[in-house]
Amino acid sequence: MTQAKSGDSVAIHYTGRLEDGTVFDSSRDRDPLEFAIGSGEVIPGFEAAVVGMTPGDAKTEVIPAEKAYGPHREEMVMVVERHHIPDDIPLDVGQQLQIQGPQGQIVPVMVTDLSEADVTLDANHPLAGETLIFDIELVSIQG
């Protein structure tokens, strides 16, 4: 039977969870995730876990932060004086916003703390610093 290798397009069903068991995403209630191995469309540890699988194979893979979304970097957390944020933008902890980076690029950030004077914004991926556990099933290989 054919094994998945770099360059193959694959269809995968997966459930992703944190070490405490919290499920953060799953394809089980929708179409399988499709991607090309080696294209960088998914995190490196997930892609590597699929290599060598054959259609119908299932496994559980523990992916450390370094092979997922990387470490949580404190330099990507910023405290902004609240008056710098337009009044028409309601703010809540957990809310996602977009800010303009130094070169004009759009950067997604999450509000992680609020006070009367300041807003703390985190530009890390929400799963940065987390070990991720995936239940993976290879549905098909398109070649």
Side-chain angles (χ1 to χ4, degrees):
M1 194 160 230
T2 305
Q3 292 185 326
K5 63 187 179 312
S6 186
D8 286 342
S9 291
V10 295
I12 304 288
H13 267 304
Y14 68 91
T15 298
R17 59 188 189 282
L18 304 177
E19 290 179 295
D20 68 4
T22 303
V23 173
F24 61 83
D25 195 14
S26 180
S27 68
R28 290 293 174 185
D29 294 331
R30 58 183 190 260
D31 290 337
L33 171 67
E34 295 182 10
F35 66 94
I37 298 174
S39 66
E41 295 174 65
V42 298
I43 58 174
F46 189 91
E47 193 171 75
V50 174
V51 172
M53 292 180 75
T54 59
D57 282 354
K59 68 181 185 178
T60 298
E61 190 76 16
V62 177
I63 302 174
E66 300 75 46
K67 293 187 179 183
Y69 293 98
H72 186 272
R73 297 179 17 213
E74 283 304 315
E75 67 270 19
M76 294 181 71
V77 177
M78 63 204 93
V79 178
V80 178
E81 292 178 12
R82 199 170 187 137
H83 71 268
H84 288 298
I85 298 178
D87 291 335
D88 63 336
I89 297 178
L91 297 172
D92 291 304
V93 172
Q95 179 178 3
Q96 295 202 346
L97 301 173
Q98 294 181 339
I99 62 172
Q100 190 168 353
Q103 280 81 41
Q105 74 277 27
I106 299 298
V107 179
V109 296
M110 182 178 291
V111 177
T112 57
D113 194 30
L114 290 171
S115 73
E116 290 291 321
D118 298 317
V119 178
T120 304
L121 302 174
D122 189 343
N124 284 286
H125 187 281
L127 295 172
E130 298 281 356
T131 295
L132 307 179
I133 303 165
F134 284 96
D135 297 320
I136 301 170
E137 177 191 350
L138 179 58
V139 176
S140 66
I141 300 173
Q142 283 82 36

